[in-house]
Amino acid sequence: MAEHGGGLRPDTEDPSAFEQSARRFLSATARPRTDSAREWGQGRDSVSYFASGTAEQERDAVLAAKKWQRTRYENGWGWITGPSEFGGLDLPVNYQMIYNSVEADFDVPDTNQLSVVGLGMIGPTILEHGNDELRASLLPAMYSGDKIACQLFSEPGAGSDLASVETRAVQQGDEWILNGQKVWTSAAQHSAIGEILCRTDPELPKHRGMTAFIIDMTAPGVEVRPLRQMTGGEEFNEVFLTDVRVPDGNRLGEVNGGWSVALTTLTKERDVVAGSDTEDIDRALTPKHLSALMRATWTWDDRALRRDLSQLIAEAMAVDGLNEMAAQAMETGQAAGPERSIAKLMHGRNLTRSAHFASDVLGPRIIADNGDWGTYSWSEFLLASPALRILGGTEEIMKNILAEQVLGLPKDPGIDSKSPFRPQRHATTGGEAR
């Protein structure tokens, strides 16, 4: 029975009807994408992984993304797999994949600023660990595009070793008082709320004694300072917290049980970064585009470069295969297995190799703009490439997960998960933990 049949709303009768209704909705609200933009030498030639425009351009892009997300939500397409009480459709993940495939044929605003962290990671975490009031107040606002969310996990001394966070939360009555610093926080400057992991009991072992909260990013005491990247943009931020008050009702999960909440978010993070790229990268790394790059630079007959191109294509296909396995598991209601971690590890490496491959093909053209289409534009991707093996969990973290959880090898001997956190920090830093 169609729950939303008619007009521009989803027809959920079956996958075929759903796809047809998605096409009706998109035909009425967006323009079809033209193929010319994907041909070599035509359209924009950007090879950008991170946002690189001015602050004004980025704000305009965020406003366009929020407007498009609202259009989706008001017509029933905002949260296809989510619960109906929060505006979702309660449909399996394959319906979301069908919609994504149809939407790719249309020219719509890029919604990554909302969907990668906020809707892909924090929304599902609130749904699983938030109380009823928190879910009812935040989830519709997030999936309708009204509220962007950021993830406040990394700190100057705790990134790869996330269990070492030192930002403190001290309870006073029905509130918590937060003090500390977070860093590398994507989209904090655009966010209305943030999921934060804090130390609430330094006498407990490091993986315990932490608690997760949702904070208001506009609350007194929250200061966001953008970080300028060498690619030109300001996509990441430092966030300083000084006596920030958070209601206990904004707590996610149990007091001192923040590690399990963080694992939920990190699992979702691997799902969204395992194979997802920007539209620019998707276009630039197709075999057709890379082959055209070699022909345009008269390197097509270079046997070493052709071997490298073949390897890139083969490994990209392997990542696609792993993501397909994970998607099939989720379609049947199973949790994605180790294939997500393997795909994330391989995908980061493939992106880095792709940037270096383009550098080898282009030679000096990648460091000096001579006006040729599709050449100097690769420089931004090359500058971004070191970050691609770190974001969303470093390669070392992915290797540890695979070694311990898949191969059954002993845990890293350098991690003490039994001693109280405060003495550990004292022994490591020679100072008192905050």
Side-chain angles (χ1 to χ4, degrees):
M1 182 178 196
E3 297 178 359
H4 299 274
L8 302 181
R9 300 187 70 80
D11 185 337
T12 59
E13 185 74 29
D14 55 48
S16 177
F18 180 81
E19 180 177 353
Q20 292 175 29
S21 62
R23 201 165 291 282
R24 283 197 301 273
F25 162 67
L26 287 158
S27 296
T29 55
R31 292 179 301 181
R33 188 184 299 278
T34 59
D35 289 334
S36 61
R38 293 177 176 271
E39 296 297 327
W40 177 264
Q42 299 183 37
R44 63 196 230 116
D45 67 347
S46 171
V47 192
S48 174
Y49 193 92
F50 299 114
S52 57
T54 64
E56 290 75 19
Q57 289 172 327
E58 195 170 340
R59 273 198 297 272
D60 289 345
V62 169
L63 288 174
K66 294 176 73 171
K67 183 178 179 182
W68 176 239
Q69 181 62 25
R70 172 163 286 281
T71 300
R72 285 173 174 159
Y73 189 82
E74 289 177 342
N75 287 282
W77 302 92
W79 196 7
I80 292 168
T81 59
S84 56
E85 62 262 45
F86 304 126
L89 293 178
D90 277 320
L91 292 175
V93 69
N94 62 309
Y95 280 74
Q96 180 68 59
M97 296 166 70
I98 290 170
Y99 176 79
N100 292 347
S101 175
V102 177
E103 192 185 81
D105 293 335
F106 292 83
D107 187 11
V108 300
D110 181 351
T111 57
N112 275 346
Q113 291 279 19
L114 288 78
S115 57
V116 173
V117 176
L119 307 187
M121 297 155 53
I122 298 177
T125 303
I126 294 173
L127 182 63
E128 183 169 339
H129 297 282
N131 58 41
D132 290 343
E133 184 177 349
L134 200 63
R135 292 191 292 176
S137 65
L138 293 183
L139 293 176
M142 293 172 66
Y143 285 90
S144 66
D146 286 346
K147 288 184 183 293
I148 295 180
C150 61
Q151 178 210 63
L152 297 153
F153 280 9
S154 294
E155 298 183 2
S160 296
D161 185 11
L162 182 60
S164 292
V165 297
E166 295 187 28
T167 292
R168 290 295 308 274
V170 178
Q171 190 165 20
Q172 289 186 2
D174 293 334
E175 291 184 323
W176 293 82
I177 311 299
L178 275 55
N179 282 282
Q181 179 191 353
K182 298 292 179 175
V183 72
W184 305 121
T185 310
S186 302
Q189 72 272 48
H190 307 300
S191 296
I193 59 173
E195 179 192 351
I196 189 167
L197 190 63
C198 298
R199 182 71 50 188
T200 43
D201 190 344
E203 303 302 329
L204 291 175
K206 62 191 299 184
H207 290 84
R208 298 164 60 191
M210 295 185 293
T211 305
F213 304 90
I214 294 295
I215 69 168
D216 179 353
M217 293 296 290
T218 65
V222 178
E223 181 185 1
V224 178
R225 299 180 188 173
L227 295 167
R228 180 167 291 278
Q229 305 142 212
M230 63 180 175
T231 50
E234 296 177 349
E235 196 164 0
F236 305 100
N237 302 270
E238 295 177 293
V239 180
F240 295 85
L241 304 117
T242 306
D243 295 330
V244 178
R245 293 181 174 274
V246 179
D248 187 56
N250 281 27
R251 174 165 44 83
L252 297 174
E254 301 296 324
V255 174
N256 296 326
W259 185 245
S260 65
V261 179
L263 289 181
T264 297
T265 307
L266 295 175
T267 299
K268 297 299 180 184
E269 184 176 50
R270 282 197 290 276
D271 288 345
V272 297
V273 303
S276 61
D277 292 316
T278 65
E279 182 182 336
D280 287 344
I281 300 300
D282 279 340
R283 182 199 66 248
L285 298 187
T286 59
K288 180 180 179 182
H289 194 93
L290 292 173
S291 300
L293 175 67
M294 292 182 67
R295 291 191 174 91
T297 52
W298 304 98
T299 56
W300 182 247
D301 292 331
D302 187 312
R303 298 178 65 180
L305 289 175
R306 293 176 70 162
R307 179 202 59 207
D308 293 344
L309 175 61
S310 300
Q311 186 175 355
L312 285 175
I313 294 171
E315 294 185 356
M317 292 175 67
V319 172
D320 289 343
L322 289 165
N323 285 328
E324 181 63 28
M325 289 171 61
Q328 289 176 358
M330 288 190 288
E331 283 180 34
T332 59
Q334 304 175 51
E339 56 271 8
R340 278 300 198 197
S341 295
I342 299 172
K344 196 277 173 189
L345 180 64
M346 290 184 64
H347 186 57
R349 290 185 170 191
N350 288 350
L351 290 175
T352 304
R353 287 174 181 158
S354 299
H356 292 174
F357 169 78
S359 177
D360 291 340
V361 170
L362 290 166
R365 299 179 186 86
I366 202 169
I367 59 173
D369 188 1
N370 63 1
D372 287 347
W373 191 96
T375 57
Y376 179 67
S377 54
W378 281 90
S379 63
E380 188 179 331
F381 185 42
L382 182 63
L383 290 173
S385 62
L388 306 178
R389 299 172 71 170
I390 298 173
L391 58 81
T394 65
E395 286 191 1
E396 288 74 14
I397 292 295
M398 293 300 112
K399 289 177 181 176
N400 272 353
I401 291 172
L402 294 171
E404 295 168 9
Q405 299 181 14
V406 179
L407 301 178
L409 297 177
K411 287 185 175 298
D412 189 330
I415 296 178
D416 183 351
S417 60
K418 297 181 179 178
S419 302
F421 177 74
R422 188 190 298 275
Q424 284 189 59
R425 295 301 298 173
H426 183 82
T428 302
T429 66
E432 187 75 7
R434 288 180 292 164

